[in-house]
Amino acid sequence: NAGVMQNPRHLVRRRGQEARLRCSPMKGHSHVYWYRQLPEEGLKFMVYLQKENIIDESGMPKERFSAEFPKEGPSILRIQQVVRGDSAAYFCASSKRGPGRRQPQHFGDGTRLSIL
Amino acid sequence: GQQLNQSPQSMFIQEGEDVSMNCTSSSIFNTWLWYKQDPGEGPVLLIALYKAGELTSNGRLTAQFGITRKDSFLNISASIPSDVGIYFCAGQKGAQKLVFGQGTRLTINP
């Protein structure tokens, strides 16, 4: 069984460019979560999506960041006009059912974003 | 917002020793999860706890959901080199977002 697949694994962008991070959830999972991790820190929740809907985006900055999970295809985390402070590891997780339904989240191996 | 305090931040032990780490919260959770993260990889789920007082094992790992619902413990018995990594606790209340601790970095001297 394929796990959560994220690509690219590493992404380098210059300040002002756009970064697109992709996540394909585990087979049969329709709930996707994005997290951000800075070095030596834990993961911080950004956004929770269920097919075509954003359920909770309380952890995502209001500007420059957006997320989608279309009916077909992977979930996309998009960062516009990147700045140095966006450098981090971005992790995607998926679950079969939503939070609070005894469905633990399974994580991908992340995208390491570096801003020059 | 909710915060988890995980301790210790780092541990240096000898191979074969037992390990204990814990996580405390300022508020109640009804789900506790323990993950392990190796360098360059994503967190891998070790143990999931859904009931106060629950004690669950996964091989040499044992985790407990504290009675107060504000803490959880992870023990590793007879540590081996592949146990090296960063261990994260994560708590969840109802359908709210998952909150992670800062991690415990485990180093094992052979």
Side-chain angles (χ1 to χ4, degrees):
Chain A
N1 286 332
V4 178
M5 303 299 292
Q6 288 188 249
N7 67 82
R9 291 293 306 275
H10 300 273
L11 183 61
V12 180
R13 284 287 178 266
R14 296 189 180 280
R15 280 178 294 170
Q17 290 184 321
E18 178 180 288
R20 277 183 179 244
L21 288 61
R22 286 175 290 278
C23 169
S24 295
M26 285 179 70
K27 188 176 180 181
H29 287 195
S30 60
H31 301 260
V32 164
Y33 315 80
W34 285 94
Y35 294 82
R36 173 186 157 112
Q37 185 180 35
L38 294 172
E40 308 298 318
E41 293 188 11
L43 283 74
K44 296 284 195 302
F45 168 82
M46 297 181 72
V47 61
Y48 160 41
L49 309 101
Q50 185 186 3
K51 275 297 183 183
E52 300 185 88
N53 295 306
I54 296 176
I55 308 300
D56 180 358
E57 56 183 346
S58 59
M60 197 159 68
K62 295 283 188 287
E63 295 180 358
R64 302 188 299 108
F65 284 73
S66 62
E68 62 179 22
F69 188 15
K71 190 175 180 181
E72 302 290 337
S75 174
I76 306 284
L77 179 67
R78 183 182 178 206
I79 311 173
Q80 294 178 288
Q81 299 174 330
V82 296
V83 301
R84 287 239 169 91
D86 296 333
S87 295
Y90 291 85
F91 289 95
C92 170
S94 73
S95 64
K96 194 170 188 177
R97 293 186 291 179
R101 303 287 299 276
R102 298 200 171 194
Q103 287 285 304
Q105 297 174 21
H106 296 272
F107 285 81
D109 282 335
T111 293
R112 274 125 191 104
L113 177 64
S114 298
I115 309 301
L116 301 179
Chain B
Q2 293 172 323
Q3 293 209 343
L4 290 187
N5 188 24
Q6 189 171 347
S7 66
Q9 285 191 344
S10 58
M11 301 183 74
F12 298 86
I13 63 168
Q14 298 292 326
E15 185 177 348
E17 286 185 15
D18 295 343
V19 172
S20 289
M21 60 189 78
N22 68 80
C23 224
T24 57
S25 169
S26 56
S27 55
I28 289 172
F29 287 117
N30 50 28
T31 297
W32 283 98
L33 304 171
W34 284 92
Y35 289 88
K36 178 176 183 265
Q37 186 177 28
D38 291 328
E41 297 183 10
V44 174
L45 181 67
L46 299 174
I47 293 179
L49 302 160
Y50 299 109
K51 198 173 172 182
E54 182 179 357
L55 185 72
T56 298
S57 292
N58 177 7
R60 293 178 296 106
L61 277 62
T62 302
Q64 184 161 24
F65 191 141
I67 291 290
T68 65
R69 295 179 176 267
K70 290 186 177 182
D71 56 10
S72 180
F73 304 86
L74 176 69
N75 295 318
I76 306 173
S77 62
S79 58
I80 59 178
S82 62
D83 291 333
V84 165
I86 304 177
Y87 292 79
F88 288 100
C89 62
Q92 188 172 40
K93 182 178 181 180
Q96 294 179 12
K97 59 192 178 190
L98 205 55
V99 178
F100 279 80
Q102 313 97 308
T104 295
R105 183 181 295 273
L106 179 62
T107 302
I108 298 176
N109 299 317

